[in-house]
Every structure is written in structure tokens, then in C-alpha cells.
Amino acid sequence: MHPLGHDLGRVRVLMGAALAASLLSGCAGPQYTYVRDDDGATYFKVPAQWRKVDQEAIEKAVFGEEDQSALRRAVWIVAYDADPQPSINHLVTGASGADDRPFVLVKVQKLSEEQRNQASLNMLRNSLGFPVALSDDVRRRLDESGIYPYKDFKLLTDRVLPVEDGVRGVRSVFNLRHGIGPPQTYDETAYLSADGTRISSLVVRCSPACHRERAAEIDLIAKSFKVKRILIP
């Protein structure tokens, strides 16, 4: 056979292999679930295997049993769980031992005029109710009160994010316990929109061992969390 025939044969084999790989990858399904809030300004992604937590359970845990229609209009919230049995309870503690898996919750809150006037980086740090930006004295008194659920807070990292299109943000990683539960690691990112009208917050919870083992995956989720610039009308 002419040498060119061998070359053409190799080309056909390579093209066939590439086509097969392309077809197989196309059948594999998406790697991530992409999520946006109602306004489309806040967005993030999670691995496609993660499951959405029941919305009614989320709202009941966040808003309580009573009618909170005004609060519901001001807050958009969603959660995804890497556990095969998703539960809002995994926000504060997951499965024990090696079975623990990450849990992510995102909240977008429209601010009142008073809240807009008080907006600060510390408000972002505390936007999900965790005691991130508190004085040592206040935190000690909360720990001793017996009614505050979060104990043994330890800040691991805290970073002010670069301002992009007027959107300010912070990312904090910290450990704490909920009640008598085991220590948990929280990776929290929060943004203030460019017009100062809303705060968008994301937090990923995992046990300290889980957070170390799945650090790259958690970091990818945190870095996918973005807020578009919202212009003042």
C-alpha cells in the first residue's frame, strides 16, 4: 500500500475515535446545575449530582410557622445538598463521620432604606446570622447566654473580595458548633449589589474533615457565586 494510504487510515481511525468520544460526552449529561435568583442577578453552580432541598422545608426553617409574607417577598432562598437524602437540617450538621457531605444555601435579601444606610462589610459577614463580625466580648456573652445556638466560633480566613462593577464582597471561612453538635466548617461569601439594594449570600457547610477533603469542589462553588451589577433606575 502507498504510504499515503497508511496516513489516511490513521486519520480515519483518529477521526472516528474523536467522534465517538464527542458522542459519548454528549450523552453523559451536564456536570453542573446552574441556579439564578428570581431577578437573574445572582447566580452560582453546584455539581449535577447534588439535590435541591425541599423549598417548603427551607422556608419553614428560615421564616418560621407564622405568616411572614412581607419577609418572603423580600427574601429569595434556595439550598442544595450533596447527601442522597437532602435535608435543611444539614445546614447545621451533616451525617456523622466519613458520610458527611457538603451542603450549600444561598439567600438574596432586599434591604430596607434603614438597612441600606447601615450597609457595611460587617453586615455582609453577618448576613446569614452567623457570628462572624462580633467583638470578643459580645461573642463571649452570647456563648454564656445558654440560648444562643452557635458555640466555639473560630475564624479561619477572612478576605475582602475585589470590587467588580461596583459590587462589594467578602469571603469568610470559620468553624463553629450548633448546640451540642460537632464542629462544622462554613465557607461564606456575601455581596452587596452595586446600587446597595440587596445582599446576596452563599454558605457551604461541611465537617472540618469533609471541608479539607473536598476543598477544591467547595472552592469551585464559592467562586462560581456572582452578582451582576444592578443599576439604579
Side-chain angles (χ1 to χ4, degrees):
M1 180 181 291
H2 193 279
L4 181 59
H6 290 292
D7 293 339
L8 290 174
R10 284 196 294 269
V11 169
R12 292 192 190 98
V13 170
L14 291 173
M15 289 180 65
L19 178 61
S22 175
L23 291 172
L24 287 173
S25 64
C27 296
Q31 287 184 288
Y32 299 100
T33 298
Y34 294 84
V35 188
R36 290 181 181 270
D37 72 332
D38 290 338
D39 294 329
T42 298
Y43 55 95
F44 65 101
K45 68 181 182 181
V46 295
Q49 299 83 2
W50 291 32
R51 299 184 181 183
K52 189 175 184 291
V53 179
D54 179 72
Q55 192 65 29
E56 184 177 349
I58 298 172
E59 293 181 0
K60 185 178 293 185
V62 172
F63 303 126
E65 300 284 351
E66 300 180 3
D67 180 23
Q68 297 282 357
S69 55
L71 185 57
R72 291 173 189 269
R73 287 193 298 270
V75 175
W76 179 89
I77 195 164
V78 71
Y80 283 82
D81 198 342
D83 193 281
Q85 296 182 329
S87 169
I88 185 59
N89 295 330
H90 292 164
L91 173 61
V92 293
T93 182
S96 60
D99 291 332
D100 185 34
R101 304 182 190 191
F103 178 101
V104 61
L105 180 139
V106 173
K107 184 182 82 169
V108 180
Q109 180 175 356
K110 297 176 182 177
L111 302 179
S112 66
E113 183 175 354
E114 180 180 359
Q115 289 171 327
R116 293 178 202 174
N117 292 332
Q118 297 175 351
S120 66
L121 294 181
N122 279 345
M123 178 183 282
L124 296 181
R125 293 181 174 98
N126 296 334
S127 59
L128 289 173
F130 297 112
V132 181
L134 298 178
S135 68
D136 291 339
D137 183 59
V138 170
R139 188 174 288 112
R140 178 184 55 78
R141 285 189 280 116
L142 287 173
D143 282 343
E144 294 173 352
S145 69
I147 58 174
Y148 193 67
Y150 302 123
K151 310 292 181 183
D152 299 336
F153 175 88
K154 182 179 180 182
L155 184 65
L156 302 178
T157 63
D158 183 80
R159 184 163 64 96
V160 177
L161 302 175
V163 177
E164 296 185 10
D165 291 330
V167 177
R168 294 187 294 160
V170 293
R171 183 175 177 185
S172 307
V173 182
F174 51 91
N175 285 347
L176 55 74
R177 292 187 300 107
H178 184 269
I180 60 173
Q184 304 294 321
T185 298
Y186 291 85
D187 193 324
E188 180 185 76
T189 303
Y191 292 107
L192 178 67
S193 64
D195 64 357
T197 63
R198 68 197 67 198
I199 289 177
S200 301
S201 309
L202 173 146
V203 67
V204 184
R205 182 221 56 84
C206 219
S207 69
C210 164
H211 189 270
R212 289 191 296 270
E213 292 168 3
R214 303 181 71 157
E217 181 181 24
I218 292 171
D219 187 58
L220 184 148
I221 294 169
K223 288 181 177 177
S224 77
F225 183 54
K226 300 293 182 183
V227 173
K228 290 183 178 179
R229 183 177 185 182
I230 301 175
L231 298 176
I232 301 174

